[in-house]
Amino acid sequence: MRKNDPFDVIIVGGGVAGCSTALSLLRSNPRASFAVIDNADFNSFKIGESLPAEAKRILHYLTPSIPDRLSQDTAAGVHITCSGNASVWESMELHETFALMNPFGSGWHLNRAAFDEMLREHVRKVCPSEADEPQRLLIKGTFAAIRKDEHGRWIVTTRKSNDSKEQQEYRSTWLIDASGRQASVAHKLGAKVVKLDRLLAVYGVFSSPNLDRDRRTVIEATEDGWWYTSQLANQQRVIAFHTDDCDPVAKRARHRDGFLDLLHQTTTHISNILELNDWRLISGRGHALPRCIAAGSSFLEPLGDEHERWCAVGDAAAAFDPLSSQGIITALRMGCSVGIMISKQLQLSQSPDLDKPVETGSSDLNSVKRVYLRIREDYEKKRRYFYDQSMFSSDFWLRRRERST
């Protein structure tokens, strides 16, 4: 492949969804060329740390060495295993499930930034240095603009950073939006994000001088929302409060004192975990905590366009309430599906014999849409069940029950 030839695919976003799309594409079509454009800050804390044990099968499909690397990083203290889940939801009693009962074994509480970087390292490994090999690049840059050339190929403009004026252009046949909830590419193409609720997550990261052996994910429902906590590596713990942006407590929770007061006033078990091991909210330079992020359910309309040759993946395509703890594994599944679909599309377009049958599978955008629809239907079924079971009846919970009907 010559230096200025267009890529088969440009993927905007180098997180879980973007990397899994690239690795899945390569598994299905080893001659495919791609560019992954990524502006992630490895040193920045990223929430979304729960990885279910069944993800091992998907990671092995993408690259067999990834599960081994995950195990090595866990042994080295980068991540920790999750011993199970505990919840206060239907009543004030604590209900527990244990990882020992899971046929897949223990899941993980990830250092999310390190996990994403590990996936990018595996993408870098398949980027060749030989001139006669398909061109594959992992590009550090920020997506800036999109247009088409006279041949109908995509032209993606990037900047080295948000503040930089220096720009670079790349061309491709297919374009994948893996930019997260903001769906930066899809927005410029006219797609709309349909938001199903107004859920916010306000979270803080805590540290402790003591050894805490509690590696459960603990969830606790309260009158105005729900809390969860997970211990992380390096004697850190994340605690997040979920409520709607229209509820009065949302404003209070955004501030340090309000966040801590709400935590201790409205929770029992999570508050006890903090007090038992002297967990303190991290503060100071570089730690503007607590932080507030969107956490509601949403989906993109349309998901993509086969004729125009673009598609969204991961949170850009569909984002789910964190109660499901399915964000990472859903992004992995979506990435696998989209990578296979793009591979088949490239085979179809490059085949000299248009009547020659192509291997069946996720060969068109409709098949990807069906995968997304199954994921959404499964999520909605579980969401309705869990929110209907809550012991509380405040506006926060009633809004979710009304949506269920």
Side-chain angles (χ1 to χ4, degrees):
M1 181 175 180
R2 294 170 300 184
K3 183 176 180 181
N4 294 323
D5 284 349
F7 295 95
D8 291 325
V9 187
I10 290 177
I11 302 168
V12 178
V16 173
C19 289
S20 59
T21 300
L23 294 171
S24 174
L25 168 66
L26 196 61
R27 178 184 170 93
S28 299
N29 187 345
R31 298 298 299 175
S33 64
F34 64 77
V36 177
I37 298 169
D38 176 66
N39 66 349
D41 180 3
F42 175 71
N43 296 313
S44 177
F45 177 83
K46 186 174 183 180
I47 197 170
E49 69 289 333
S50 295
L51 181 66
E54 54 265 37
K56 284 182 280 193
R57 296 186 301 171
I58 306 174
L59 294 172
H60 186 272
Y61 169 82
L62 293 173
T63 303
S65 62
I66 292 180
D68 290 338
R69 172 64 186 277
L70 180 57
S71 296
Q72 292 167 11
D73 286 349
T74 303
V78 178
H79 317 294
I80 67 172
T81 54
C82 173
S83 63
N85 297 322
S87 63
V88 176
W89 199 264
E90 299 179 36
S91 70
M92 297 306 294
E93 295 182 8
L94 188 70
H95 295 270
E96 297 194 61
T97 58
F98 301 98
L100 285 172
M101 306 300 293
N102 187 333
F104 296 104
S106 298
W108 289 270
H109 292 161
L110 300 173
N111 175 329
R112 181 59 187 279
F115 178 78
D116 288 7
E117 181 62 21
M118 181 265 289
L119 292 179
R120 287 189 287 270
E121 287 177 12
H122 279 80
V123 172
R124 291 187 190 99
K125 289 179 181 178
V126 300
C127 295
S129 56
E130 300 297 328
D132 60 343
E133 290 291 312
Q135 190 173 10
R136 297 188 285 268
L137 296 176
L138 181 60
I139 300 164
K140 186 68 174 177
T142 299
F143 169 74
I146 182 70
R147 68 182 192 278
K148 280 196 169 185
D149 66 13
E150 64 274 16
H151 303 292
R153 292 180 298 230
W154 293 106
I155 302 176
V156 177
T157 304
T158 68
R159 297 191 301 269
K160 284 191 173 182
S161 67
N162 289 326
D163 300 326
S164 174
K165 294 183 179 180
E166 184 179 349
Q167 296 185 338
Q168 183 69 45
E169 291 185 346
Y170 304 92
R171 287 172 166 78
S172 70
T173 302
W174 271 85
L175 179 64
I176 305 299
D177 186 351
S179 63
R181 284 177 178 267
Q182 64 267 34
S184 303
V185 178
H187 272 300
K188 290 185 179 291
L189 300 178
K192 304 296 182 182
V193 173
V194 179
K195 296 183 179 181
L196 302 179
D197 57 61
R198 302 169 66 178
L199 190 69
L200 295 176
V202 185
Y203 70 90
V205 181
F206 292 68
S207 64
S208 171
N210 303 323
L211 177 62
D212 187 348
R213 299 187 182 277
D214 188 345
R215 296 190 171 187
R216 301 170 299 171
T217 296
V218 180
I219 301 171
E220 195 162 351
T222 65
E223 189 72 27
D224 295 307
W226 57 274
W227 296 77
Y228 89 88
T229 182
S230 297
Q231 188 176 175
L232 308 175
N234 300 318
Q235 291 184 254
Q236 292 189 339
R237 177 177 286 277
V238 62
I239 297 180
F241 175 52
H242 299 78
T243 191
D244 286 333
D245 62 1
C246 58
D247 285 329
V249 293
K251 183 176 181 180
R252 182 183 174 193
R254 292 171 188 254
H255 302 283
R256 179 185 177 87
D257 290 345
F259 180 82
L260 293 173
D261 288 344
L262 280 170
L263 193 164
H264 290 293
Q265 291 168 3
T266 63
T267 73
T268 299
H269 299 277
I270 295 178
S271 178
N272 287 342
I273 289 172
L274 262 64
E275 293 177 353
L276 184 62
N277 281 290
D278 195 25
W279 289 99
R280 304 288 182 90
L281 184 63
I282 297 175
S283 61
R285 188 174 182 180
H287 295 283
L289 297 172
R291 294 174 183 163
C292 182
I293 58 172
S297 302
S298 63
F299 65 91
L300 191 69
E301 184 61 41
L303 175 68
D305 189 315
E306 190 171 323
H307 177 71
E308 295 294 328
R309 299 188 298 276
W310 73 270
C311 181
V313 67
D315 282 355
F320 302 106
D321 184 326
L323 185 62
S324 66
S325 296
Q326 295 292 307
I328 300 178
I329 197 170
T330 298
L332 290 168
R333 287 172 175 156
M334 288 181 173
C336 289
S337 180
V338 171
I340 294 169
M341 182 272 289
I342 298 297
S343 171
K344 305 307 180 188
Q345 288 292 311
L346 293 173
Q347 290 181 43
L348 284 169
S349 64
Q350 295 166 0
S351 174
D353 183 0
L354 295 180
D355 295 325
K356 182 179 179 180
V358 177
E359 180 185 351
T360 58
S362 299
S363 58
D364 59 23
L365 192 59
N366 285 331
S367 64
V368 173
K369 289 178 180 178
R370 288 192 291 271
V371 172
Y372 282 35
L373 184 59
R374 287 196 298 270
I375 291 172
R376 280 183 55 195
E377 288 175 344
D378 181 65
Y379 157 74
E380 283 293 335
K381 181 180 179 180
K382 292 176 180 177
R383 186 200 64 80
R384 285 194 297 269
Y385 172 79
F386 285 113
Y387 277 116
D388 286 349
Q389 298 303 310
S390 169
M391 67 184 114
F392 295 103
S393 299
S394 64
D395 289 344
F396 174 85
W397 301 100
L398 290 176
R399 281 190 288 269
R400 279 145 183 82
R401 289 168 191 155
E402 289 168 0
R403 178 179 154 194
S404 298
T405 58

